[in-house]
């Protein structure tokens, strides 16, 4: 039996364990293998490690929807974001949405899209899931706090972004949806015109790897700003060594706890 590559990672197993908190809910999505577009390397491993860390941070397993590869089609995203979360959360809830996989720029308006496993890069606007729509649906929740972390990029270039052959957005800079984030607090892996990279030694997206390291270093208790301040310089430095720019983004009130 052919063995896959062996990764040496210090973020597979959380180094902390917090008490379970029934008010915490998460939707964790990792799409590595797509039906009609290239692989997003390490995305499924990212999602698995994030799920393990959320459980350690007190998110009950029954409150975590975990979708990878073919489970993470567009209808599944719609079902859990737009029906399951509103039905299961209330004014006390913390909600976290995590996505690892391809992003894409819409070619008509240049808006950012997350690409589910059944997305088609030639038809991003109809088969992708708009980041603006994501923020609108999350803002409509009754939840006390809503967090987003996205290890994808929207430039149409690089290992975590796609665009249909011969297509280009009509705008120079992709609209990453930040203007419609509302009360959502979001961490994104890169600026909208940049490429995201991976930490190939650990077998993770560069952003996710340093996000989990930051969470571990604080024993699972941190504000979003504390996590951002820890991961951002490390991601930028690693990208520079790779001869590119990757600048993580923080949108919203970073004082919210992860």
């Amino acid at each position: 039996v052919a063995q896959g590559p062996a990764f040496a990672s210090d973020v597979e197993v959380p180094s902390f364990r917090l008490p379970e908190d029934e008010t915490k809910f998460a939707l964790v999505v990792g799409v590595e293998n797509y039906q009609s577009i290239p692989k997003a390397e390490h995305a499924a491993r990212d999602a698995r490690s994030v799920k393990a860390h959320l459980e350690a941070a007190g998110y009950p397993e029954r409150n975590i929807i975990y979708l990878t590869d073919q489970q993470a089609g567009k209808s599944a995203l719609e079902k859990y974001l737009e029906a399951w979360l509103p039905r299961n959360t209330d004014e006390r809830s913390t909600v976290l949405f995590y996505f690892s996989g391809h992003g894409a720029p819409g070619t008509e308006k240049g808006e950012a899209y997350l690409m589910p496993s059944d997305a088609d890069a030639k038809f991003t606007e109809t088969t992708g899931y708009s980041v603006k729509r994501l923020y609108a649906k999350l803002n409509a929740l009754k939840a006390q706090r809503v967090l987003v972390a996205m290890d994808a990029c929207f430039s149409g270039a690089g290992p975590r972004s796609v665009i249909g052959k011969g297509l280009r957005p009509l705008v120079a800079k992709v609209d990453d949806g930040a203007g419609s984030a509302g009360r959502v607090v979001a961490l994104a892996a890169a600026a909208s015109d940049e490429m995201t990279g991976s930490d190939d030694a650990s077998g993770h997206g560069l952003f996710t790897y340093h996000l989990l390291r930051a969470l571990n270093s604080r024993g699972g208790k941190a504000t979003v700003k504390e996590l951002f301040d820890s991961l951002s310089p490390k991601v930028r430095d690693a990208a520079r060594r790779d001869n590119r720019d990757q600048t993580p983004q923080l949108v919203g009130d970073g004082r919210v706890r992860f």
Side-chain angles (χ1 to χ4, degrees):
V1 179
Q3 291 290 315
F7 297 110
S9 167
D10 52 358
V11 297
E12 297 316 295
V13 180
S15 61
F16 59 91
R17 175 66 60 180
L18 302 180
E20 198 169 272
D21 180 349
E22 64 178 24
T23 67
K24 291 182 168 183
F25 291 81
L27 176 51
V28 177
V29 182
V31 191
E32 187 158 333
N33 296 295
Y34 283 82
Q35 289 177 18
S36 64
I37 51 184
K39 251 177 114 156
E41 289 288 347
H42 312 315
R45 275 172 60 80
D46 283 349
R48 189 170 68 237
S49 294
V50 167
K51 178 177 182 277
H53 282 74
L54 292 180
E55 287 178 31
Y59 286 73
E61 188 173 18
R62 66 185 177 279
N63 290 1
I64 300 174
I65 299 296
Y66 173 61
L67 305 173
T68 58
D69 291 355
Q70 70 271 21
Q71 301 165 329
K74 188 178 181 185
S75 65
L77 284 188
E78 291 171 346
K79 179 169 67 179
Y80 288 110
L81 277 165
E82 301 177 14
W84 189 86
L85 278 175
R87 193 173 296 139
N88 284 279
T89 57
D90 60 26
E91 293 83 356
R92 301 173 307 142
S93 304
T94 295
V95 172
L96 178 113
F97 173 79
Y98 171 84
F99 181 89
S100 181
H102 283 308
T107 52
E108 287 164 30
K109 297 181 190 161
E111 292 180 7
Y113 286 81
L114 300 175
M115 298 300 265
S117 61
D118 52 0
D120 184 332
K122 293 193 213 67
F123 300 96
T124 295
E125 274 95 346
T126 46
T127 65
Y129 194 93
S130 151
V131 173
K132 281 190 174 174
R133 179 176 174 182
L134 171 72
Y135 287 148
K137 297 300 178 184
L138 292 175
N139 268 300
L141 295 173
K142 295 192 190 100
Q144 184 177 358
R145 56 181 77 84
V146 187
L147 312 170
V148 167
M150 294 181 286
D151 199 336
C153 61
F154 307 106
S155 60
R160 289 275 175 105
S161 190
V162 288
I163 192 163
K165 200 167 181 224
L167 298 178
R168 282 286 168 269
L170 294 175
V171 294
K173 193 164 168 61
V174 178
D175 177 1
D176 61 9
S180 51
R183 66 195 181 94
V184 174
V185 182
L187 286 170
S192 64
D193 57 350
E194 293 175 342
M195 295 190 288
T196 59
S198 52
D199 185 273
D200 288 325
S202 71
H204 284 291
L206 188 59
F207 166 80
T208 296
Y209 175 67
H210 287 292
L211 172 65
L212 294 179
R213 283 195 71 187
L215 198 59
N216 274 316
S217 72
R218 282 163 178 71
K221 296 178 180 174
T223 65
V224 176
K225 177 83 164 61
E226 285 167 347
L227 295 176
F228 177 77
D229 287 345
S230 173
L231 72 86
S232 184
K234 295 180 177 73
V235 169
R236 294 200 312 268
D237 289 350
R240 268 200 296 274
R241 285 195 292 274
D242 210 13
N243 201 32
R244 58 186 182 80
D245 291 321
Q246 181 176 341
T247 318
Q249 306 292 302
L250 168 61
V251 178
D253 183 356
R255 292 169 300 182
V256 170
R257 297 195 77 74
F258 196 77

